[in-house]
Amino acid sequence: MVLVVDLEGVGQDMLAVPIKAECLVPKVRVVPSDFLEYDTCFLRHPKTKKIEIINDDSLKAKFEIVAQDDQSRRIGVYTADQESGIINPKSSQVINITLKTEILNGIRIPLYIKVEGYHIPFMVTILASSIGPIVSVNKTELDYGSVDVLKDYTEKIVIRNESKIPAEYTAFTKSKESIWKVIQRHGVLKPDDEKEIEI
């Protein structure tokens, strides 16, 4: 471009000063570049993974984690321990991304990272398999042996919550009219907790 100087009453374009500039964008990359894998996650239980933004240039780079849209928040919610910042030349920034799933089954959420100077933000797809609580039972069969008629006999099973989230349970017999009766029919098992149920 050219800066032109006019002198009032004397003349137009009396002086022309050339202006030159070069606009550069820092060379930035994100690791992982495609998928951020969380593998198996318990429903609504936070799990954290890392992404790294690397500045390979001699210029500073400014980044921002783009806010999540409402539609994807119904599937799962992610939060970053640092939502924006500046990365110095030839250095990198590690960001912890914590995910809490809101539905069961496969989770796929886009995460956008905006870098100043880039028209299109970097996109990393968050992948996870969301599961509910895992509960185990210590027996698969109850044997009462020989019993007298019209007398109550009790056997016990132990259920254990082997997950990091609470497990709500209901114990019942298949038919309503049954000679079997569950004493502790309903309850909540805390993470890594166990409970004895009488039948």
Side-chain angles (χ1 to χ4, degrees):
M1 298 184 75
V2 178
L3 173 67
V4 178
V5 179
D6 297 338
L7 291 176
E8 203 170 317
V10 178
Q12 303 277 330
D13 302 344
M14 298 297 291
L15 180 67
V17 180
I19 299 172
K20 290 183 179 179
E22 187 179 11
C23 184
L24 299 172
V25 176
K27 294 181 180 73
V28 173
R29 57 195 168 94
V30 177
V31 177
S33 61
D34 45 12
F35 301 109
L36 186 59
E37 302 248 10
Y38 283 79
D39 301 318
T40 303
C41 298
F42 288 112
L43 184 70
R44 298 189 184 94
H45 183 74
K47 190 171 185 180
T48 303
K49 293 282 182 180
K50 298 178 189 302
I51 58 169
E52 187 177 11
I53 305 171
I54 302 166
N55 182 4
D56 292 318
D57 216 307
S58 56
L59 302 167
K60 287 183 178 180
K62 185 179 179 183
F63 75 91
E64 180 189 347
I65 306 293
V66 179
Q68 191 178 355
D69 62 37
D70 290 336
Q71 188 175 348
S72 70
R73 288 177 75 88
R74 295 190 194 110
I75 300 167
V77 178
Y78 64 78
T79 53
D81 65 345
Q82 189 174 345
E83 294 183 352
S84 63
I86 291 172
I87 306 169
N88 287 320
K90 305 292 181 184
S91 64
S92 65
Q93 178 70 54
V94 174
I95 301 167
N96 293 309
I97 307 291
T98 302
L99 174 69
K100 281 171 78 173
T101 61
E102 293 294 328
I103 62 165
L104 295 172
N105 297 326
I107 302 289
R108 193 181 182 97
I109 302 170
L111 166 72
Y112 294 102
I113 302 159
K114 186 178 173 185
V115 176
E116 199 74 40
Y118 287 79
H119 297 300
I120 300 169
F122 293 89
M123 188 188 90
V124 178
T125 304
I126 291 173
L127 296 177
S129 177
S130 179
I131 61 170
I134 299 167
V135 177
S136 64
V137 184
N138 70 329
K139 295 179 184 176
T140 57
E141 190 176 283
L142 292 177
D143 187 358
Y144 288 79
S146 297
V147 295
D148 295 330
V149 73
L150 301 177
K151 281 180 74 175
D152 285 346
Y153 292 87
T154 303
E155 283 287 328
K156 296 174 183 177
I157 59 169
V158 176
I159 58 172
R160 180 175 174 75
N161 183 1
E162 298 176 350
S163 32
K164 302 296 179 191
I165 56 174
E168 188 175 344
Y169 70 87
T170 304
F172 57 93
T173 54
K174 193 171 183 181
S175 80
K176 287 185 178 180
E177 300 298 322
S178 175
I179 61 169
W180 314 102
K181 182 182 176 187
V182 181
I183 307 301
Q184 301 89 357
R185 290 175 49 84
H186 187 78
V188 176
L189 281 171
K190 292 177 183 176
D192 298 316
D193 196 11
E194 63 179 38
K195 189 163 190 176
E196 200 172 60
I197 296 177
E198 295 179 355
I199 297 108

PDB file of all heavy atoms in Angstrom, residues 142-171:
ATOM      1  N   LEU A 142     -29.647 -70.579  45.302  1.00  0.00           N
ATOM      2  CA  LEU A 142     -29.897 -70.719  46.742  1.00  0.00           C
ATOM      3  C   LEU A 142     -30.472 -72.106  47.012  1.00  0.00           C
ATOM      4  O   LEU A 142     -31.478 -72.491  46.415  1.00  0.00           O
ATOM      5  CB  LEU A 142     -30.888 -69.652  47.232  1.00  0.00           C
ATOM      6  CG  LEU A 142     -30.406 -68.200  47.214  1.00  0.00           C
ATOM      7  CD1 LEU A 142     -31.520 -67.263  47.651  1.00  0.00           C
ATOM      8  CD2 LEU A 142     -29.200 -68.009  48.105  1.00  0.00           C
ATOM      9  N   ASP A 143     -29.829 -72.852  47.883  1.00  0.00           N
ATOM     10  CA  ASP A 143     -30.286 -74.208  48.207  1.00  0.00           C
ATOM     11  C   ASP A 143     -30.708 -74.246  49.673  1.00  0.00           C
ATOM     12  O   ASP A 143     -29.886 -74.087  50.574  1.00  0.00           O
ATOM     13  CB  ASP A 143     -29.152 -75.201  47.948  1.00  0.00           C
ATOM     14  CG  ASP A 143     -29.614 -76.652  48.104  1.00  0.00           C
ATOM     15  OD1 ASP A 143     -30.800 -76.875  48.445  1.00  0.00           O
ATOM     16  OD2 ASP A 143     -28.778 -77.549  47.892  1.00  0.00           O
ATOM     17  N   TYR A 144     -32.001 -74.435  49.900  1.00  0.00           N
ATOM     18  CA  TYR A 144     -32.545 -74.486  51.263  1.00  0.00           C
ATOM     19  C   TYR A 144     -32.499 -75.904  51.850  1.00  0.00           C
ATOM     20  O   TYR A 144     -32.760 -76.091  53.027  1.00  0.00           O
ATOM     21  CB  TYR A 144     -33.995 -73.980  51.275  1.00  0.00           C
ATOM     22  CG  TYR A 144     -34.108 -72.477  51.080  1.00  0.00           C
ATOM     23  CD1 TYR A 144     -34.006 -71.916  49.816  1.00  0.00           C
ATOM     24  CD2 TYR A 144     -34.329 -71.631  52.156  1.00  0.00           C
ATOM     25  CE1 TYR A 144     -34.119 -70.556  49.625  1.00  0.00           C
ATOM     26  CE2 TYR A 144     -34.434 -70.263  51.978  1.00  0.00           C
ATOM     27  CZ  TYR A 144     -34.332 -69.730  50.709  1.00  0.00           C
ATOM     28  OH  TYR A 144     -34.441 -68.376  50.519  1.00  0.00           O
ATOM     29  N   GLY A 145     -32.184 -76.890  51.031  1.00  0.00           N
ATOM     30  CA  GLY A 145     -32.137 -78.271  51.507  1.00  0.00           C
ATOM     31  C   GLY A 145     -33.531 -78.777  51.870  1.00  0.00           C
ATOM     32  O   GLY A 145     -34.551 -78.285  51.368  1.00  0.00           O
ATOM     33  N   SER A 146     -33.608 -79.742  52.770  1.00  0.00           N
ATOM     34  CA  SER A 146     -34.900 -80.273  53.220  1.00  0.00           C
ATOM     35  C   SER A 146     -35.474 -79.342  54.282  1.00  0.00           C
ATOM     36  O   SER A 146     -34.794 -78.982  55.241  1.00  0.00           O
ATOM     37  CB  SER A 146     -34.714 -81.671  53.819  1.00  0.00           C
ATOM     38  OG  SER A 146     -34.234 -82.551  52.823  1.00  0.00           O
ATOM     39  N   VAL A 147     -36.732 -78.942  54.094  1.00  0.00           N
ATOM     40  CA  VAL A 147     -37.373 -78.002  55.033  1.00  0.00           C
ATOM     41  C   VAL A 147     -38.733 -78.533  55.465  1.00  0.00           C
ATOM     42  O   VAL A 147     -39.372 -79.317  54.753  1.00  0.00           O
ATOM     43  CB  VAL A 147     -37.530 -76.604  54.388  1.00  0.00           C
ATOM     44  CG1 VAL A 147     -36.186 -75.964  54.111  1.00  0.00           C
ATOM     45  CG2 VAL A 147     -38.350 -76.666  53.111  1.00  0.00           C
ATOM     46  N   ASP A 148     -39.166 -78.103  56.657  1.00  0.00           N
ATOM     47  CA  ASP A 148     -40.499 -78.443  57.156  1.00  0.00           C
ATOM     48  C   ASP A 148     -41.524 -77.511  56.544  1.00  0.00           C
ATOM     49  O   ASP A 148     -41.269 -76.320  56.348  1.00  0.00           O
ATOM     50  CB  ASP A 148     -40.551 -78.326  58.683  1.00  0.00           C
ATOM     51  CG  ASP A 148     -39.649 -79.349  59.359  1.00  0.00           C
ATOM     52  OD1 ASP A 148     -39.452 -80.437  58.775  1.00  0.00           O
ATOM     53  OD2 ASP A 148     -39.127 -79.049  60.449  1.00  0.00           O
ATOM     54  N   VAL A 149     -42.713 -78.058  56.291  1.00  0.00           N
ATOM     55  CA  VAL A 149     -43.780 -77.269  55.707  1.00  0.00           C
ATOM     56  C   VAL A 149     -44.249 -76.181  56.689  1.00  0.00           C
ATOM     57  O   VAL A 149     -44.163 -76.341  57.905  1.00  0.00           O
ATOM     58  CB  VAL A 149     -44.947 -78.192  55.269  1.00  0.00           C
ATOM     59  CG1 VAL A 149     -45.718 -78.725  56.476  1.00  0.00           C
ATOM     60  CG2 VAL A 149     -45.894 -77.472  54.319  1.00  0.00           C
ATOM     61  N   LEU A 150     -44.701 -75.037  56.143  1.00  0.00           N
ATOM     62  CA  LEU A 150     -45.270 -73.913  56.898  1.00  0.00           C
ATOM     63  C   LEU A 150     -44.299 -73.245  57.875  1.00  0.00           C
ATOM     64  O   LEU A 150     -44.716 -72.548  58.797  1.00  0.00           O
ATOM     65  CB  LEU A 150     -46.548 -74.329  57.645  1.00  0.00           C
ATOM     66  CG  LEU A 150     -47.693 -74.877  56.773  1.00  0.00           C
ATOM     67  CD1 LEU A 150     -48.856 -75.309  57.626  1.00  0.00           C
ATOM     68  CD2 LEU A 150     -48.125 -73.853  55.740  1.00  0.00           C
ATOM     69  N   LYS A 151     -43.022 -73.435  57.682  1.00  0.00           N
ATOM     70  CA  LYS A 151     -42.020 -72.749  58.511  1.00  0.00           C
ATOM     71  C   LYS A 151     -41.148 -71.873  57.616  1.00  0.00           C
ATOM     72  O   LYS A 151     -40.863 -72.236  56.478  1.00  0.00           O
ATOM     73  CB  LYS A 151     -41.136 -73.764  59.250  1.00  0.00           C
ATOM     74  CG  LYS A 151     -41.796 -74.363  60.499  1.00  0.00           C
ATOM     75  CD  LYS A 151     -40.884 -75.344  61.194  1.00  0.00           C
ATOM     76  CE  LYS A 151     -39.773 -74.637  61.923  1.00  0.00           C
ATOM     77  NZ  LYS A 151     -38.932 -75.597  62.703  1.00  0.00           N
ATOM     78  N   ASP A 152     -40.776 -70.703  58.146  1.00  0.00           N
ATOM     79  CA  ASP A 152     -39.925 -69.787  57.379  1.00  0.00           C
ATOM     80  C   ASP A 152     -38.459 -70.193  57.474  1.00  0.00           C
ATOM     81  O   ASP A 152     -37.970 -70.503  58.569  1.00  0.00           O
ATOM     82  CB  ASP A 152     -40.079 -68.353  57.901  1.00  0.00           C
ATOM     83  CG  ASP A 152     -41.405 -67.732  57.471  1.00  0.00           C
ATOM     84  OD1 ASP A 152     -42.058 -68.292  56.565  1.00  0.00           O
ATOM     85  OD2 ASP A 152     -41.774 -66.680  58.026  1.00  0.00           O
ATOM     86  N   TYR A 153     -37.784 -70.185  56.339  1.00  0.00           N
ATOM     87  CA  TYR A 153     -36.343 -70.457  56.284  1.00  0.00           C
ATOM     88  C   TYR A 153     -35.679 -69.319  55.499  1.00  0.00           C
ATOM     89  O   TYR A 153     -36.248 -68.826  54.519  1.00  0.00           O
ATOM     90  CB  TYR A 153     -36.059 -71.803  55.605  1.00  0.00           C
ATOM     91  CG  TYR A 153     -36.522 -72.980  56.430  1.00  0.00           C
ATOM     92  CD1 TYR A 153     -37.823 -73.452  56.324  1.00  0.00           C
ATOM     93  CD2 TYR A 153     -35.654 -73.608  57.325  1.00  0.00           C
ATOM     94  CE1 TYR A 153     -38.258 -74.512  57.083  1.00  0.00           C
ATOM     95  CE2 TYR A 153     -36.087 -74.669  58.088  1.00  0.00           C
ATOM     96  CZ  TYR A 153     -37.393 -75.128  57.979  1.00  0.00           C
ATOM     97  OH  TYR A 153     -37.819 -76.185  58.744  1.00  0.00           O
ATOM     98  N   THR A 154     -34.520 -68.920  55.928  1.00  0.00           N
ATOM     99  CA  THR A 154     -33.845 -67.767  55.308  1.00  0.00           C
ATOM    100  C   THR A 154     -32.476 -68.155  54.748  1.00  0.00           C
ATOM    101  O   THR A 154     -31.709 -68.849  55.401  1.00  0.00           O
ATOM    102  CB  THR A 154     -33.656 -66.629  56.337  1.00  0.00           C
ATOM    103  OG1 THR A 154     -34.930 -66.264  56.862  1.00  0.00           O
ATOM    104  CG2 THR A 154     -33.008 -65.412  55.713  1.00  0.00           C
ATOM    105  N   GLU A 155     -32.245 -67.713  53.533  1.00  0.00           N
ATOM    106  CA  GLU A 155     -30.914 -67.785  52.926  1.00  0.00           C
ATOM    107  C   GLU A 155     -30.519 -66.355  52.546  1.00  0.00           C
ATOM    108  O   GLU A 155     -31.380 -65.484  52.389  1.00  0.00           O
ATOM    109  CB  GLU A 155     -30.928 -68.677  51.679  1.00  0.00           C
ATOM    110  CG  GLU A 155     -30.955 -70.160  51.979  1.00  0.00           C
ATOM    111  CD  GLU A 155     -29.615 -70.685  52.497  1.00  0.00           C
ATOM    112  OE1 GLU A 155     -28.566 -70.154  52.092  1.00  0.00           O
ATOM    113  OE2 GLU A 155     -29.637 -71.618  53.322  1.00  0.00           O
ATOM    114  N   LYS A 156     -29.237 -66.136  52.398  1.00  0.00           N
ATOM    115  CA  LYS A 156     -28.765 -64.779  52.112  1.00  0.00           C
ATOM    116  C   LYS A 156     -27.876 -64.752  50.871  1.00  0.00           C
ATOM    117  O   LYS A 156     -27.153 -65.708  50.591  1.00  0.00           O
ATOM    118  CB  LYS A 156     -27.972 -64.229  53.308  1.00  0.00           C
ATOM    119  CG  LYS A 156     -28.803 -64.067  54.568  1.00  0.00           C
ATOM    120  CD  LYS A 156     -27.932 -63.673  55.740  1.00  0.00           C
ATOM    121  CE  LYS A 156     -28.775 -63.586  57.013  1.00  0.00           C
ATOM    122  NZ  LYS A 156     -27.954 -63.279  58.197  1.00  0.00           N
ATOM    123  N   ILE A 157     -27.986 -63.622  50.154  1.00  0.00           N
ATOM    124  CA  ILE A 157     -27.050 -63.343  49.055  1.00  0.00           C
ATOM    125  C   ILE A 157     -26.395 -61.992  49.361  1.00  0.00           C
ATOM    126  O   ILE A 157     -26.955 -61.172  50.101  1.00  0.00           O
ATOM    127  CB  ILE A 157     -27.739 -63.308  47.671  1.00  0.00           C
ATOM    128  CG1 ILE A 157     -28.829 -62.231  47.627  1.00  0.00           C
ATOM    129  CG2 ILE A 157     -28.292 -64.663  47.290  1.00  0.00           C
ATOM    130  CD1 ILE A 157     -29.362 -61.951  46.231  1.00  0.00           C
ATOM    131  N   VAL A 158     -25.224 -61.775  48.802  1.00  0.00           N
ATOM    132  CA  VAL A 158     -24.525 -60.498  48.962  1.00  0.00           C
ATOM    133  C   VAL A 158     -24.374 -59.866  47.585  1.00  0.00           C
ATOM    134  O   VAL A 158     -23.860 -60.497  46.657  1.00  0.00           O
ATOM    135  CB  VAL A 158     -23.142 -60.687  49.627  1.00  0.00           C
ATOM    136  CG1 VAL A 158     -22.398 -59.350  49.699  1.00  0.00           C
ATOM    137  CG2 VAL A 158     -23.285 -61.287  51.012  1.00  0.00           C
ATOM    138  N   ILE A 159     -24.868 -58.623  47.455  1.00  0.00           N
ATOM    139  CA  ILE A 159     -24.671 -57.890  46.201  1.00  0.00           C
ATOM    140  C   ILE A 159     -23.617 -56.810  46.450  1.00  0.00           C
ATOM    141  O   ILE A 159     -23.558 -56.220  47.528  1.00  0.00           O
ATOM    142  CB  ILE A 159     -25.984 -57.284  45.659  1.00  0.00           C
ATOM    143  CG1 ILE A 159     -26.626 -56.334  46.679  1.00  0.00           C
ATOM    144  CG2 ILE A 159     -26.959 -58.360  45.252  1.00  0.00           C
ATOM    145  CD1 ILE A 159     -27.814 -55.578  46.128  1.00  0.00           C
ATOM    146  N   ARG A 160     -22.772 -56.595  45.443  1.00  0.00           N
ATOM    147  CA  ARG A 160     -21.660 -55.645  45.588  1.00  0.00           C
ATOM    148  C   ARG A 160     -21.617 -54.694  44.390  1.00  0.00           C
ATOM    149  O   ARG A 160     -21.707 -55.127  43.245  1.00  0.00           O
ATOM    150  CB  ARG A 160     -20.341 -56.409  45.709  1.00  0.00           C
ATOM    151  CG  ARG A 160     -19.126 -55.509  45.871  1.00  0.00           C
ATOM    152  CD  ARG A 160     -17.847 -56.299  46.109  1.00  0.00           C
ATOM    153  NE  ARG A 160     -16.679 -55.435  46.126  1.00  0.00           N
ATOM    154  CZ  ARG A 160     -16.341 -54.629  47.135  1.00  0.00           C
ATOM    155  NH1 ARG A 160     -17.107 -54.587  48.220  1.00  0.00           N
ATOM    156  NH2 ARG A 160     -15.276 -53.866  47.082  1.00  0.00           N
ATOM    157  N   ASN A 161     -21.478 -53.422  44.706  1.00  0.00           N
ATOM    158  CA  ASN A 161     -21.337 -52.406  43.669  1.00  0.00           C
ATOM    159  C   ASN A 161     -19.854 -52.256  43.321  1.00  0.00           C
ATOM    160  O   ASN A 161     -19.069 -51.773  44.122  1.00  0.00           O
ATOM    161  CB  ASN A 161     -21.914 -51.073  44.161  1.00  0.00           C
ATOM    162  CG  ASN A 161     -21.866 -50.000  43.080  1.00  0.00           C
ATOM    163  OD1 ASN A 161     -21.431 -50.237  41.967  1.00  0.00           O
ATOM    164  ND2 ASN A 161     -22.321 -48.812  43.433  1.00  0.00           N
ATOM    165  N   GLU A 162     -19.475 -52.685  42.125  1.00  0.00           N
ATOM    166  CA  GLU A 162     -18.079 -52.659  41.699  1.00  0.00           C
ATOM    167  C   GLU A 162     -17.765 -51.456  40.812  1.00  0.00           C
ATOM    168  O   GLU A 162     -16.854 -51.497  39.993  1.00  0.00           O
ATOM    169  CB  GLU A 162     -17.738 -53.966  40.972  1.00  0.00           C
ATOM    170  CG  GLU A 162     -17.887 -55.192  41.862  1.00  0.00           C
ATOM    171  CD  GLU A 162     -17.634 -56.496  41.124  1.00  0.00           C
ATOM    172  OE1 GLU A 162     -17.530 -56.464  39.875  1.00  0.00           O
ATOM    173  OE2 GLU A 162     -17.537 -57.539  41.789  1.00  0.00           O
ATOM    174  N   SER A 163     -18.540 -50.388  40.977  1.00  0.00           N
ATOM    175  CA  SER A 163     -18.338 -49.203  40.149  1.00  0.00           C
ATOM    176  C   SER A 163     -18.098 -47.960  40.986  1.00  0.00           C
ATOM    177  O   SER A 163     -18.155 -48.007  42.210  1.00  0.00           O
ATOM    178  CB  SER A 163     -19.553 -48.997  39.224  1.00  0.00           C
ATOM    179  OG  SER A 163     -20.734 -49.448  39.824  1.00  0.00           O
ATOM    180  N   LYS A 164     -17.842 -46.856  40.293  1.00  0.00           N
ATOM    181  CA  LYS A 164     -17.533 -45.580  40.952  1.00  0.00           C
ATOM    182  C   LYS A 164     -18.755 -44.683  41.089  1.00  0.00           C
ATOM    183  O   LYS A 164     -18.635 -43.512  41.452  1.00  0.00           O
ATOM    184  CB  LYS A 164     -16.448 -44.839  40.163  1.00  0.00           C
ATOM    185  CG  LYS A 164     -15.162 -45.626  40.002  1.00  0.00           C
ATOM    186  CD  LYS A 164     -14.489 -45.887  41.336  1.00  0.00           C
ATOM    187  CE  LYS A 164     -13.208 -46.697  41.179  1.00  0.00           C
ATOM    188  NZ  LYS A 164     -12.698 -47.167  42.462  1.00  0.00           N
ATOM    189  N   ILE A 165     -19.931 -45.220  40.797  1.00  0.00           N
ATOM    190  CA  ILE A 165     -21.178 -44.452  40.919  1.00  0.00           C
ATOM    191  C   ILE A 165     -22.175 -45.253  41.753  1.00  0.00           C
ATOM    192  O   ILE A 165     -22.065 -46.475  41.848  1.00  0.00           O
ATOM    193  CB  ILE A 165     -21.779 -44.127  39.529  1.00  0.00           C
ATOM    194  CG1 ILE A 165     -22.010 -45.407  38.709  1.00  0.00           C
ATOM    195  CG2 ILE A 165     -20.907 -43.152  38.771  1.00  0.00           C
ATOM    196  CD1 ILE A 165     -22.735 -45.185  37.398  1.00  0.00           C
ATOM    197  N   PRO A 166     -23.161 -44.586  42.380  1.00  0.00           N
ATOM    198  CA  PRO A 166     -24.163 -45.319  43.159  1.00  0.00           C
ATOM    199  C   PRO A 166     -24.998 -46.243  42.266  1.00  0.00           C
ATOM    200  O   PRO A 166     -25.197 -45.971  41.081  1.00  0.00           O
ATOM    201  CB  PRO A 166     -25.049 -44.210  43.748  1.00  0.00           C
ATOM    202  CG  PRO A 166     -24.256 -42.960  43.621  1.00  0.00           C
ATOM    203  CD  PRO A 166     -23.366 -43.132  42.437  1.00  0.00           C
ATOM    204  N   ALA A 167     -25.465 -47.359  42.853  1.00  0.00           N
ATOM    205  CA  ALA A 167     -26.298 -48.321  42.117  1.00  0.00           C
ATOM    206  C   ALA A 167     -27.614 -48.506  42.870  1.00  0.00           C
ATOM    207  O   ALA A 167     -27.617 -48.959  44.009  1.00  0.00           O
ATOM    208  CB  ALA A 167     -25.571 -49.650  41.972  1.00  0.00           C
ATOM    209  N   GLU A 168     -28.699 -48.137  42.227  1.00  0.00           N
ATOM    210  CA  GLU A 168     -30.022 -48.337  42.816  1.00  0.00           C
ATOM    211  C   GLU A 168     -30.526 -49.713  42.393  1.00  0.00           C
ATOM    212  O   GLU A 168     -30.449 -50.069  41.219  1.00  0.00           O
ATOM    213  CB  GLU A 168     -30.975 -47.240  42.313  1.00  0.00           C
ATOM    214  CG  GLU A 168     -32.315 -47.238  43.006  1.00  0.00           C
ATOM    215  CD  GLU A 168     -33.196 -46.071  42.569  1.00  0.00           C
ATOM    216  OE1 GLU A 168     -32.670 -45.112  41.975  1.00  0.00           O
ATOM    217  OE2 GLU A 168     -34.403 -46.138  42.814  1.00  0.00           O
ATOM    218  N   TYR A 169     -31.009 -50.500  43.358  1.00  0.00           N
ATOM    219  CA  TYR A 169     -31.439 -51.859  43.021  1.00  0.00           C
ATOM    220  C   TYR A 169     -32.862 -52.123  43.518  1.00  0.00           C
ATOM    221  O   TYR A 169     -33.344 -51.513  44.468  1.00  0.00           O
ATOM    222  CB  TYR A 169     -30.476 -52.899  43.625  1.00  0.00           C
ATOM    223  CG  TYR A 169     -30.552 -53.005  45.134  1.00  0.00           C
ATOM    224  CD1 TYR A 169     -31.475 -53.857  45.750  1.00  0.00           C
ATOM    225  CD2 TYR A 169     -29.713 -52.245  45.953  1.00  0.00           C
ATOM    226  CE1 TYR A 169     -31.555 -53.940  47.126  1.00  0.00           C
ATOM    227  CE2 TYR A 169     -29.790 -52.335  47.326  1.00  0.00           C
ATOM    228  CZ  TYR A 169     -30.714 -53.178  47.912  1.00  0.00           C
ATOM    229  OH  TYR A 169     -30.810 -53.247  49.273  1.00  0.00           O
ATOM    230  N   THR A 170     -33.525 -53.072  42.856  1.00  0.00           N
ATOM    231  CA  THR A 170     -34.821 -53.605  43.275  1.00  0.00           C
ATOM    232  C   THR A 170     -34.741 -55.115  43.136  1.00  0.00           C
ATOM    233  O   THR A 170     -34.395 -55.624  42.068  1.00  0.00           O
ATOM    234  CB  THR A 170     -35.968 -53.057  42.398  1.00  0.00           C
ATOM    235  OG1 THR A 170     -35.941 -51.629  42.449  1.00  0.00           O
ATOM    236  CG2 THR A 170     -37.325 -53.544  42.895  1.00  0.00           C
ATOM    237  N   ALA A 171     -35.035 -55.843  44.213  1.00  0.00           N
ATOM    238  CA  ALA A 171     -35.004 -57.311  44.199  1.00  0.00           C
ATOM    239  C   ALA A 171     -36.439 -57.823  44.292  1.00  0.00           C
ATOM    240  O   ALA A 171     -37.206 -57.374  45.141  1.00  0.00           O
ATOM    241  CB  ALA A 171     -34.182 -57.830  45.375  1.00  0.00           C
TER     242      ALA A 171
END
